[in-house]
Amino acid sequence: MYGSMISSFSPNANLEGTLLTREQVEEISDRISKSVSDNVAKQLKKAMDSSSKEKEGNKG
């Protein structure tokens, strides 16, 4: 990604590399949010399509 790290779980760990800037964190967060949103929308559409087909099948 940026060859960087945000933090460490161990308080005594040596941080290596550079920390991410606020802008980089926001950019990464925005990309993750968009990806998650797109995936949820796809799954919801698939579920709705499946539900519609199931209802059509029950009518006949």
Side-chain angles (χ1 to χ4, degrees):
M1 195 175 300
Y2 291 101
S4 307
M5 60 187 288
I6 295 174
S7 66
S8 173
F9 291 111
S10 174
N12 297 326
N14 292 330
L15 294 178
E16 296 181 9
T18 40
L19 296 176
L20 296 172
T21 65
R22 181 179 304 265
E23 291 80 14
Q24 289 171 322
V25 171
E26 288 174 359
E27 179 184 337
I28 293 166
S29 176
D30 288 346
R31 275 193 266 149
I32 292 170
S33 294
K34 182 179 179 344
S35 177
V36 168
S37 179
D38 289 348
N39 285 334
V40 168
K42 286 177 189 175
Q43 290 177 12
L44 183 58
K45 183 179 181 336
K46 188 184 252 184
M48 290 172 60
D49 289 346
S50 175
S51 177
S52 294
K53 288 178 184 176
E54 191 174 293
K55 286 180 182 177
E56 289 174 9
N58 289 339
K59 289 180 182 178

